[in-house]
């Protein structure tokens, strides 16, 4: 009996030592920016509208504030994507002085884990610069190598593509007076 318990304890110890040395997926990042020919106050009005993402980001069909108030830290929005999937996001930082807003996934069908995204508006010659950046890990982050179809490069490319498309759409809509 003593030997069985000793072997069990050794086995458990080896298991936990192995876990402590297991590799995880790296933290990834995406970052895109664009200059919009409009005053920062107008651009910030669009960027800071936590309930208005569908007004300029084409893959989003609808945005609803489900908890809290628009433009207030802690607000939660429900996004309905064009493919029918939904995801909730929480506004975790909101700074109207620095013109930045940071949000993260809460629940639903996220594309990534540990996702934290920031949008920031700054004044530049000729208008406003909008920067959209994020850090994240793929959903199967516990594995050094992807176990599914979504590898690190593909996931980063998707976010960069969405950010580029979204910022271009925002620029077009603001400069044409649509929003």
């Amino acid at each position: 009996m003593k030997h069985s318990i000793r072997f069990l304890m050794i086995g458990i110890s080896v298991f936990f030592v192995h876990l402590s040395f297991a590799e995880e997926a790296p933290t990834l990042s995406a970052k895109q920016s664009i200059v919009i020919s409009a005053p920062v106050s107008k651009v910030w009005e669009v960027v800071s509208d936590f309930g208005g993402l569908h007004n300029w980001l084409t893959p989003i069909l609808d945005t609803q504030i489900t908890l809290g108030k628009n433009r207030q830290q802690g607000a939660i929005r429900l996004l309905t994507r064009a493919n029918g999937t939904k995801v909730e996001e929480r506004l975790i930082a909101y700074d109207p002085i620095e013109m930045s807003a940071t949000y993260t996934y809460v629940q639903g069908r996220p594309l990534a884990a540990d996702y934290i995204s920031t949008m920031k508006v700054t004044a530049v010659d000729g208008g406003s610069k909008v920067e959209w950046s994020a850090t994240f890990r793929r959903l199967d982050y516990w594995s050094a190598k992807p176990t599914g179809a979504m590898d690190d490069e593909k996931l980063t490319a998707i976010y960069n593509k969405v950010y580029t498309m979204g910022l271009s759409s925002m620029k077009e809509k603001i400069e044409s007076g649509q929003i």
Side-chain angles (χ1 to χ4, degrees):
M1 181 72 171
K2 284 183 178 181
H3 292 295
S4 296
I5 292 174
R6 183 177 296 152
F7 284 119
L8 178 63
M9 295 305 289
I10 291 171
I12 290 171
S13 297
V14 168
F15 174 75
F16 282 109
V17 167
H18 172 72
L19 281 181
S20 68
F21 290 105
E23 287 188 60
E24 289 188 352
T27 298
L28 307 171
S29 64
K31 184 176 183 179
Q32 297 296 317
S33 64
I34 199 163
V35 173
I36 299 174
S37 298
V40 291
S41 59
K42 175 60 181 167
V43 175
W44 174 242
E45 181 182 321
V46 173
V47 168
S48 68
D49 183 3
F50 198 60
L53 192 63
H54 63 285
N55 292 326
W56 54 269
L57 188 58
T58 310
I60 303 300
L61 296 180
D62 189 41
T63 311
Q64 296 176 356
I65 301 293
T66 59
L67 183 68
K69 295 184 179 181
N70 195 16
R71 296 183 171 97
Q72 287 188 0
Q73 185 173 327
I76 294 179
R77 67 183 174 193
L78 175 65
L79 304 176
T80 303
R81 297 182 183 129
N83 67 5
T85 61
K86 296 181 184 232
V87 67
E88 282 188 324
E89 297 176 330
R90 178 187 315 266
L91 186 59
I92 58 175
Y94 180 82
D95 188 341
I97 304 299
E98 293 293 320
M99 291 185 278
S100 71
T102 301
Y103 62 93
T104 188
Y105 286 138
V106 175
Q107 66 179 351
R109 298 251 339 247
L111 298 175
D114 301 337
Y115 178 80
I116 297 179
S117 182
T118 299
M119 295 191 77
K120 183 167 179 57
V121 180
T122 54
V124 295
D125 286 342
S128 307
K129 179 181 177 183
V130 180
E131 184 177 278
W132 195 358
S133 62
T135 58
F136 50 90
R137 295 194 296 173
R138 68 181 126 75
L139 291 175
D140 57 352
Y141 64 86
W142 56 86
S143 172
K145 294 184 180 183
T147 58
M150 188 72 71
D151 65 21
D152 295 343
E153 286 181 25
K154 185 174 181 181
L155 183 58
T156 301
I158 287 171
Y159 277 112
N160 277 310
K161 181 179 178 180
V162 168
Y163 290 1
T164 299
M165 176 184 52
L167 292 172
S168 294
S169 176
M170 179 191 293
K171 174 183 175 79
E172 179 185 323
K173 290 186 177 209
I174 290 174
E175 290 180 352
S176 69
Q178 294 176 44
I179 55 174

